[in-house]
Amino acid sequence: MFDRLLSLLRAPAPGATEIPQADARHALGALLVRVAKADGVYLFQEIEEIDHLLASLYDLNVVEAARMRAECEKLEAAMPKTEDLAHILSDTVTRTERDALVQALWQVADADGQRDDTEAQVVMIATRTFGMTLDEATALRR
């Protein structure tokens, strides 16, 4: 009886979800989400762009991409430092892949048609962690 009671106390709360593994794929998705949320507004255009990028990068269908984005949203919320997310990526990707990742970050930042400094700051933090200069990161936005 006590074992059953203890197991109930240790069990996750109903409706609680696990945070996905902080691998490179989820770290990128979490960074994309972080850029989109940086200005305090998480718009449909940004969500749509994230889903499109995840589908394209990882050969996912629409449902799989949306599911992965949802997992990335959880990871983004659980990891307070942008540098930590970027560091996961910087250890696993080549220079060419980093350029593509930075371009993806800019695509999300520009998805709503507005250029916001807070979104650009998140991209700059990530690119600094990747070892890129400001000029290199800015050139990839074009």
Short mmCIF file of all heavy atoms in Angstrom, two decimals, residues 34-88:
data_model
loop_
_atom_site.label_atom_id
_atom_site.label_comp_id
_atom_site.label_asym_id
_atom_site.label_seq_id
_atom_site.Cartn_x
_atom_site.Cartn_y
_atom_site.Cartn_z
N ARG A 34 12.36 31.20 -29.78
CA ARG A 34 12.82 32.31 -28.95
C ARG A 34 12.87 33.61 -29.75
O ARG A 34 12.49 34.66 -29.26
CB ARG A 34 14.19 31.97 -28.36
CG ARG A 34 14.82 33.10 -27.62
CD ARG A 34 15.13 32.98 -26.18
NE ARG A 34 14.64 31.91 -25.41
CZ ARG A 34 15.38 31.19 -24.56
NH1 ARG A 34 16.66 31.44 -24.43
NH2 ARG A 34 14.83 30.24 -23.83
N VAL A 35 13.35 33.53 -30.99
CA VAL A 35 13.39 34.72 -31.85
C VAL A 35 11.97 35.23 -32.08
O VAL A 35 11.70 36.43 -31.96
CB VAL A 35 14.08 34.42 -33.20
CG1 VAL A 35 13.86 35.55 -34.19
CG2 VAL A 35 15.57 34.19 -32.99
N ALA A 36 11.05 34.32 -32.38
CA ALA A 36 9.67 34.72 -32.66
C ALA A 36 9.00 35.36 -31.44
O ALA A 36 8.22 36.31 -31.58
CB ALA A 36 8.86 33.52 -33.12
N LYS A 37 9.32 34.89 -30.26
CA LYS A 37 8.70 35.40 -29.04
C LYS A 37 9.41 36.61 -28.46
O LYS A 37 8.90 37.24 -27.52
CB LYS A 37 8.66 34.30 -27.98
CG LYS A 37 7.69 33.19 -28.27
CD LYS A 37 7.70 32.19 -27.12
CE LYS A 37 6.61 31.16 -27.25
NZ LYS A 37 6.61 30.25 -26.09
N ALA A 38 10.57 36.96 -28.98
CA ALA A 38 11.41 37.99 -28.38
C ALA A 38 10.72 39.34 -28.26
O ALA A 38 10.96 40.08 -27.30
CB ALA A 38 12.71 38.14 -29.17
N ASP A 39 9.87 39.67 -29.20
CA ASP A 39 9.19 40.98 -29.15
C ASP A 39 7.92 40.95 -28.32
O ASP A 39 7.18 41.93 -28.28
CB ASP A 39 8.91 41.49 -30.56
CG ASP A 39 7.99 40.57 -31.36
OD1 ASP A 39 7.58 39.50 -30.84
OD2 ASP A 39 7.69 40.91 -32.52
N GLY A 40 7.66 39.83 -27.67
CA GLY A 40 6.48 39.73 -26.81
C GLY A 40 5.21 39.32 -27.53
O GLY A 40 4.15 39.21 -26.91
N VAL A 41 5.31 39.09 -28.83
CA VAL A 41 4.15 38.69 -29.63
C VAL A 41 4.56 37.48 -30.47
O VAL A 41 5.53 37.54 -31.21
CB VAL A 41 3.69 39.84 -30.55
CG1 VAL A 41 2.45 39.44 -31.32
CG2 VAL A 41 3.44 41.11 -29.76
N TYR A 42 3.81 36.40 -30.34
CA TYR A 42 4.10 35.16 -31.07
C TYR A 42 3.02 35.01 -32.12
O TYR A 42 1.96 34.45 -31.88
CB TYR A 42 4.11 34.01 -30.06
CG TYR A 42 4.67 32.70 -30.53
CD1 TYR A 42 5.73 32.61 -31.42
CD2 TYR A 42 4.14 31.52 -30.04
CE1 TYR A 42 6.25 31.38 -31.80
CE2 TYR A 42 4.65 30.28 -30.41
CZ TYR A 42 5.71 30.22 -31.30
OH TYR A 42 6.22 29.00 -31.67
N LEU A 43 3.29 35.54 -33.30
CA LEU A 43 2.29 35.64 -34.35
C LEU A 43 2.21 34.39 -35.22
O LEU A 43 3.16 33.62 -35.34
CB LEU A 43 2.60 36.83 -35.24
CG LEU A 43 2.54 38.20 -34.56
CD1 LEU A 43 3.03 39.28 -35.50
CD2 LEU A 43 1.13 38.49 -34.08
N PHE A 44 1.04 34.22 -35.86
CA PHE A 44 0.80 33.09 -36.74
C PHE A 44 1.85 33.02 -37.85
O PHE A 44 2.33 31.94 -38.19
CB PHE A 44 -0.61 33.17 -37.35
CG PHE A 44 -0.86 32.11 -38.37
CD1 PHE A 44 -1.09 30.79 -37.99
CD2 PHE A 44 -0.83 32.40 -39.73
CE1 PHE A 44 -1.29 29.80 -38.93
CE2 PHE A 44 -1.03 31.41 -40.68
CZ PHE A 44 -1.27 30.11 -40.27
N GLN A 45 2.22 34.17 -38.42
CA GLN A 45 3.21 34.18 -39.50
C GLN A 45 4.54 33.58 -39.02
O GLN A 45 5.22 32.88 -39.77
CB GLN A 45 3.47 35.60 -40.01
CG GLN A 45 2.28 36.25 -40.64
CD GLN A 45 1.51 37.11 -39.64
OE1 GLN A 45 1.43 36.80 -38.46
NE2 GLN A 45 0.93 38.18 -40.12
N GLU A 46 4.91 33.87 -37.78
CA GLU A 46 6.16 33.34 -37.24
C GLU A 46 6.05 31.84 -36.99
O GLU A 46 6.97 31.09 -37.30
CB GLU A 46 6.50 34.09 -35.95
CG GLU A 46 6.80 35.55 -36.18
CD GLU A 46 6.78 36.39 -34.92
OE1 GLU A 46 5.93 36.14 -34.04
OE2 GLU A 46 7.62 37.30 -34.83
N ILE A 47 4.92 31.41 -36.44
CA ILE A 47 4.68 29.98 -36.21
C ILE A 47 4.71 29.23 -37.53
O ILE A 47 5.34 28.17 -37.65
CB ILE A 47 3.35 29.78 -35.47
CG1 ILE A 47 3.43 30.35 -34.06
CG2 ILE A 47 2.94 28.31 -35.46
CD1 ILE A 47 2.10 30.45 -33.35
N GLU A 48 4.05 29.78 -38.53
CA GLU A 48 4.02 29.17 -39.86
C GLU A 48 5.43 29.06 -40.45
O GLU A 48 5.80 28.04 -41.03
CB GLU A 48 3.11 30.00 -40.77
CG GLU A 48 2.87 29.42 -42.12
CD GLU A 48 1.90 30.27 -42.93
OE1 GLU A 48 2.12 31.50 -43.04
OE2 GLU A 48 0.93 29.69 -43.44
N GLU A 49 6.23 30.11 -40.27
CA GLU A 49 7.60 30.09 -40.79
C GLU A 49 8.45 29.04 -40.05
O GLU A 49 9.24 28.33 -40.68
CB GLU A 49 8.25 31.47 -40.65
CG GLU A 49 9.63 31.57 -41.28
CD GLU A 49 9.63 31.38 -42.79
OE1 GLU A 49 8.61 31.63 -43.46
OE2 GLU A 49 10.68 30.96 -43.32
N ILE A 50 8.28 28.95 -38.74
CA ILE A 50 9.01 27.93 -37.97
C ILE A 50 8.63 26.54 -38.46
O ILE A 50 9.51 25.70 -38.71
CB ILE A 50 8.73 28.08 -36.46
CG1 ILE A 50 9.34 29.38 -35.94
CG2 ILE A 50 9.27 26.88 -35.68
CD1 ILE A 50 8.89 29.77 -34.55
N ASP A 51 7.34 26.29 -38.61
CA ASP A 51 6.90 24.98 -39.10
C ASP A 51 7.47 24.68 -40.49
O ASP A 51 7.92 23.56 -40.75
CB ASP A 51 5.37 24.91 -39.14
CG ASP A 51 4.73 24.80 -37.76
OD1 ASP A 51 5.47 24.71 -36.76
OD2 ASP A 51 3.49 24.81 -37.69
N HIS A 52 7.45 25.68 -41.35
CA HIS A 52 7.99 25.51 -42.70
C HIS A 52 9.48 25.18 -42.65
O HIS A 52 9.96 24.27 -43.35
CB HIS A 52 7.75 26.77 -43.53
CG HIS A 52 8.44 26.77 -44.84
ND1 HIS A 52 8.03 26.02 -45.91
CD2 HIS A 52 9.56 27.42 -45.25
CE1 HIS A 52 8.85 26.20 -46.93
NE2 HIS A 52 9.79 27.05 -46.55
N LEU A 53 10.24 25.91 -41.83
CA LEU A 53 11.68 25.67 -41.72
C LEU A 53 11.97 24.28 -41.15
O LEU A 53 12.85 23.57 -41.66
CB LEU A 53 12.33 26.74 -40.85
CG LEU A 53 12.44 28.12 -41.50
CD1 LEU A 53 12.76 29.18 -40.46
CD2 LEU A 53 13.49 28.10 -42.60
N LEU A 54 11.26 23.91 -40.10
CA LEU A 54 11.48 22.58 -39.51
C LEU A 54 11.16 21.47 -40.50
O LEU A 54 11.89 20.49 -40.62
CB LEU A 54 10.66 22.41 -38.23
CG LEU A 54 11.07 23.29 -37.04
CD1 LEU A 54 10.08 23.12 -35.89
CD2 LEU A 54 12.48 22.98 -36.59
N ALA A 55 10.06 21.64 -41.24
CA ALA A 55 9.68 20.64 -42.24
C ALA A 55 10.75 20.54 -43.32
O ALA A 55 11.14 19.44 -43.72
CB ALA A 55 8.33 21.01 -42.85
N SER A 56 11.23 21.68 -43.77
CA SER A 56 12.23 21.70 -44.83
C SER A 56 13.58 21.15 -44.36
O SER A 56 14.20 20.34 -45.05
CB SER A 56 12.39 23.14 -45.33
OG SER A 56 13.40 23.22 -46.28
N LEU A 57 14.02 21.57 -43.19
CA LEU A 57 15.32 21.15 -42.68
C LEU A 57 15.38 19.67 -42.33
O LEU A 57 16.41 19.02 -42.52
CB LEU A 57 15.69 21.96 -41.43
CG LEU A 57 16.06 23.41 -41.65
CD1 LEU A 57 16.10 24.17 -40.32
CD2 LEU A 57 17.40 23.52 -42.37
N TYR A 58 14.28 19.15 -41.81
CA TYR A 58 14.30 17.78 -41.28
C TYR A 58 13.38 16.82 -42.03
O TYR A 58 13.10 15.74 -41.53
CB TYR A 58 13.97 17.81 -39.79
CG TYR A 58 14.93 18.69 -39.02
CD1 TYR A 58 14.48 19.78 -38.30
CD2 TYR A 58 16.30 18.45 -39.05
CE1 TYR A 58 15.36 20.60 -37.62
CE2 TYR A 58 17.19 19.26 -38.37
CZ TYR A 58 16.71 20.34 -37.66
OH TYR A 58 17.60 21.14 -36.99
N ASP A 59 12.92 17.23 -43.22
CA ASP A 59 12.09 16.39 -44.07
C ASP A 59 10.87 15.85 -43.31
O ASP A 59 10.63 14.64 -43.26
CB ASP A 59 12.92 15.24 -44.66
CG ASP A 59 12.22 14.57 -45.83
OD1 ASP A 59 11.45 15.25 -46.53
OD2 ASP A 59 12.42 13.36 -46.02
N LEU A 60 10.11 16.78 -42.72
CA LEU A 60 8.92 16.43 -41.95
C LEU A 60 7.67 16.84 -42.71
O LEU A 60 7.69 17.80 -43.48
CB LEU A 60 8.94 17.16 -40.59
CG LEU A 60 10.16 16.96 -39.70
CD1 LEU A 60 10.08 17.87 -38.49
CD2 LEU A 60 10.27 15.51 -39.27
N ASN A 61 6.59 16.13 -42.44
CA ASN A 61 5.31 16.59 -43.00
C ASN A 61 4.76 17.69 -42.09
O ASN A 61 5.35 18.00 -41.05
CB ASN A 61 4.33 15.43 -43.20
CG ASN A 61 3.90 14.79 -41.91
OD1 ASN A 61 3.69 15.44 -40.88
ND2 ASN A 61 3.75 13.47 -41.93
N VAL A 62 3.63 18.26 -42.45
CA VAL A 62 3.06 19.39 -41.72
C VAL A 62 2.78 19.05 -40.26
O VAL A 62 3.10 19.82 -39.35
CB VAL A 62 1.77 19.88 -42.42
CG1 VAL A 62 1.11 20.99 -41.66
CG2 VAL A 62 2.07 20.31 -43.85
N VAL A 63 2.19 17.89 -40.03
CA VAL A 63 1.84 17.48 -38.67
C VAL A 63 3.10 17.24 -37.84
O VAL A 63 3.21 17.67 -36.69
CB VAL A 63 0.93 16.23 -38.68
CG1 VAL A 63 0.68 15.71 -37.28
CG2 VAL A 63 -0.38 16.56 -39.38
N GLU A 64 4.08 16.56 -38.42
CA GLU A 64 5.33 16.29 -37.71
C GLU A 64 6.07 17.59 -37.36
O GLU A 64 6.62 17.73 -36.26
CB GLU A 64 6.24 15.40 -38.55
CG GLU A 64 5.73 13.99 -38.73
CD GLU A 64 6.47 13.22 -39.82
OE1 GLU A 64 7.02 13.85 -40.76
OE2 GLU A 64 6.50 11.98 -39.72
N ALA A 65 6.05 18.54 -38.28
CA ALA A 65 6.71 19.82 -38.03
C ALA A 65 6.01 20.58 -36.91
O ALA A 65 6.67 21.16 -36.03
CB ALA A 65 6.74 20.66 -39.31
N ALA A 66 4.69 20.58 -36.91
CA ALA A 66 3.94 21.27 -35.84
C ALA A 66 4.19 20.59 -34.49
O ALA A 66 4.34 21.26 -33.47
CB ALA A 66 2.45 21.28 -36.17
N ARG A 67 4.26 19.27 -34.50
CA ARG A 67 4.54 18.53 -33.26
C ARG A 67 5.94 18.87 -32.75
O ARG A 67 6.15 19.10 -31.57
CB ARG A 67 4.39 17.03 -33.50
CG ARG A 67 4.52 16.22 -32.22
CD ARG A 67 4.28 14.72 -32.45
NE ARG A 67 2.95 14.49 -33.00
CZ ARG A 67 2.70 13.76 -34.09
NH1 ARG A 67 3.68 13.18 -34.75
NH2 ARG A 67 1.47 13.58 -34.52
N MET A 68 6.89 18.91 -33.68
CA MET A 68 8.25 19.24 -33.27
C MET A 68 8.34 20.67 -32.74
O MET A 68 9.02 20.93 -31.75
CB MET A 68 9.22 19.06 -34.44
CG MET A 68 10.65 19.31 -34.03
SD MET A 68 11.79 18.95 -35.37
CE MET A 68 13.32 19.34 -34.55
N ARG A 69 7.64 21.60 -33.39
CA ARG A 69 7.63 22.98 -32.88
C ARG A 69 7.08 23.03 -31.48
O ARG A 69 7.60 23.73 -30.61
CB ARG A 69 6.82 23.90 -33.80
CG ARG A 69 6.74 25.32 -33.24
CD ARG A 69 5.78 26.23 -33.99
NE ARG A 69 4.64 25.60 -34.57
CZ ARG A 69 3.50 25.33 -33.91
NH1 ARG A 69 3.37 25.60 -32.64
NH2 ARG A 69 2.50 24.76 -34.56
N ALA A 70 6.01 22.28 -31.21
CA ALA A 70 5.44 22.25 -29.86
C ALA A 70 6.46 21.75 -28.85
O ALA A 70 6.56 22.28 -27.74
CB ALA A 70 4.18 21.38 -29.85
N GLU A 71 7.24 20.73 -29.23
CA GLU A 71 8.29 20.24 -28.35
C GLU A 71 9.36 21.32 -28.14
O GLU A 71 9.85 21.52 -27.02
CB GLU A 71 8.94 18.99 -28.94
CG GLU A 71 8.03 17.78 -28.99
CD GLU A 71 8.62 16.62 -29.79
OE1 GLU A 71 9.70 16.79 -30.41
OE2 GLU A 71 7.99 15.55 -29.78
N CYS A 72 9.69 22.01 -29.20
CA CYS A 72 10.70 23.07 -29.13
C CYS A 72 10.22 24.24 -28.27
O CYS A 72 11.01 24.88 -27.59
CB CYS A 72 11.06 23.55 -30.53
SG CYS A 72 11.89 22.28 -31.52
N GLU A 73 8.93 24.50 -28.29
CA GLU A 73 8.37 25.55 -27.43
C GLU A 73 8.59 25.20 -25.96
O GLU A 73 8.90 26.07 -25.15
CB GLU A 73 6.88 25.75 -27.72
CG GLU A 73 6.62 26.41 -29.07
CD GLU A 73 5.16 26.36 -29.50
OE1 GLU A 73 4.35 25.62 -28.88
OE2 GLU A 73 4.82 27.06 -30.47
N LYS A 74 8.43 23.93 -25.63
CA LYS A 74 8.66 23.49 -24.25
C LYS A 74 10.13 23.64 -23.87
O LYS A 74 10.46 24.08 -22.77
CB LYS A 74 8.22 22.03 -24.07
CG LYS A 74 6.74 21.83 -24.19
CD LYS A 74 6.40 20.37 -24.17
CE LYS A 74 4.98 20.16 -24.68
NZ LYS A 74 4.74 18.79 -25.08
N LEU A 75 11.01 23.25 -24.78
CA LEU A 75 12.44 23.37 -24.51
C LEU A 75 12.83 24.85 -24.37
O LEU A 75 13.59 25.21 -23.47
CB LEU A 75 13.25 22.72 -25.64
CG LEU A 75 14.77 22.77 -25.49
CD1 LEU A 75 15.21 22.05 -24.21
CD2 LEU A 75 15.43 22.15 -26.71
N GLU A 76 12.29 25.68 -25.23
CA GLU A 76 12.58 27.13 -25.17
C GLU A 76 12.18 27.70 -23.83
O GLU A 76 12.91 28.49 -23.22
CB GLU A 76 11.86 27.85 -26.31
CG GLU A 76 12.18 29.33 -26.42
CD GLU A 76 11.35 30.23 -25.53
OE1 GLU A 76 10.21 29.85 -25.20
OE2 GLU A 76 11.84 31.32 -25.17
N ALA A 77 11.03 27.29 -23.34
CA ALA A 77 10.54 27.79 -22.04
C ALA A 77 11.39 27.29 -20.88
O ALA A 77 11.56 27.97 -19.88
CB ALA A 77 9.08 27.39 -21.84
N ALA A 78 11.95 26.10 -21.03
CA ALA A 78 12.72 25.48 -19.95
C ALA A 78 14.17 25.97 -19.90
O ALA A 78 14.81 25.83 -18.86
CB ALA A 78 12.70 23.95 -20.10
N MET A 79 14.68 26.51 -21.00
CA MET A 79 16.08 26.95 -21.04
C MET A 79 16.14 28.47 -21.11
O MET A 79 15.92 29.06 -22.16
CB MET A 79 16.80 26.33 -22.23
CG MET A 79 16.97 24.83 -22.10
SD MET A 79 18.05 24.12 -23.34
CE MET A 79 19.64 24.60 -22.72
N PRO A 80 16.42 29.11 -19.98
CA PRO A 80 16.36 30.57 -19.94
C PRO A 80 17.44 31.28 -20.75
O PRO A 80 17.22 32.39 -21.20
CB PRO A 80 16.48 30.90 -18.46
CG PRO A 80 17.09 29.71 -17.83
CD PRO A 80 16.73 28.53 -18.69
N LYS A 81 18.58 30.66 -20.96
CA LYS A 81 19.67 31.37 -21.64
C LYS A 81 19.75 31.00 -23.13
O LYS A 81 19.88 29.83 -23.48
CB LYS A 81 21.01 31.04 -20.98
CG LYS A 81 21.18 31.67 -19.63
CD LYS A 81 22.60 31.42 -19.17
CE LYS A 81 22.95 32.33 -18.02
NZ LYS A 81 24.37 32.20 -17.69
N THR A 82 19.70 32.02 -23.95
CA THR A 82 19.85 31.83 -25.39
C THR A 82 21.20 31.22 -25.71
O THR A 82 21.32 30.38 -26.60
CB THR A 82 19.68 33.18 -26.12
OG1 THR A 82 18.36 33.69 -25.82
CG2 THR A 82 19.84 33.05 -27.61
N GLU A 83 22.23 31.63 -24.97
CA GLU A 83 23.57 31.09 -25.19
C GLU A 83 23.62 29.58 -25.02
O GLU A 83 24.34 28.89 -25.74
CB GLU A 83 24.58 31.72 -24.22
CG GLU A 83 24.81 33.20 -24.43
CD GLU A 83 23.85 34.08 -23.62
OE1 GLU A 83 22.81 33.58 -23.14
OE2 GLU A 83 24.14 35.26 -23.49
N ASP A 84 22.84 29.05 -24.06
CA ASP A 84 22.83 27.61 -23.83
C ASP A 84 22.26 26.87 -25.04
O ASP A 84 22.79 25.83 -25.45
CB ASP A 84 22.03 27.25 -22.58
CG ASP A 84 22.69 27.75 -21.30
OD1 ASP A 84 23.91 28.05 -21.33
OD2 ASP A 84 21.99 27.85 -20.28
N LEU A 85 21.19 27.40 -25.60
CA LEU A 85 20.61 26.78 -26.80
C LEU A 85 21.59 26.86 -27.97
O LEU A 85 21.79 25.88 -28.68
CB LEU A 85 19.30 27.47 -27.17
CG LEU A 85 18.12 27.24 -26.25
CD1 LEU A 85 16.98 28.20 -26.56
CD2 LEU A 85 17.65 25.81 -26.34
N ALA A 86 22.19 28.03 -28.16
CA ALA A 86 23.13 28.21 -29.27
C ALA A 86 24.37 27.35 -29.09
O ALA A 86 24.92 26.83 -30.06
CB ALA A 86 23.51 29.67 -29.40
N HIS A 87 24.80 27.17 -27.86
CA HIS A 87 25.99 26.36 -27.59
C HIS A 87 25.77 24.90 -28.01
O HIS A 87 26.69 24.26 -28.54
CB HIS A 87 26.35 26.44 -26.11
CG HIS A 87 27.64 25.77 -25.78
ND1 HIS A 87 28.85 26.24 -26.23
CD2 HIS A 87 27.90 24.65 -25.07
CE1 HIS A 87 29.81 25.44 -25.80
NE2 HIS A 87 29.26 24.46 -25.10
N ILE A 88 24.58 24.39 -27.80
CA ILE A 88 24.26 23.02 -28.24
C ILE A 88 24.49 22.89 -29.74
O ILE A 88 25.05 21.91 -30.22
CB ILE A 88 22.81 22.65 -27.88
CG1 ILE A 88 22.65 22.57 -26.36
CG2 ILE A 88 22.40 21.33 -28.53
CD1 ILE A 88 21.21 22.54 -25.89
#
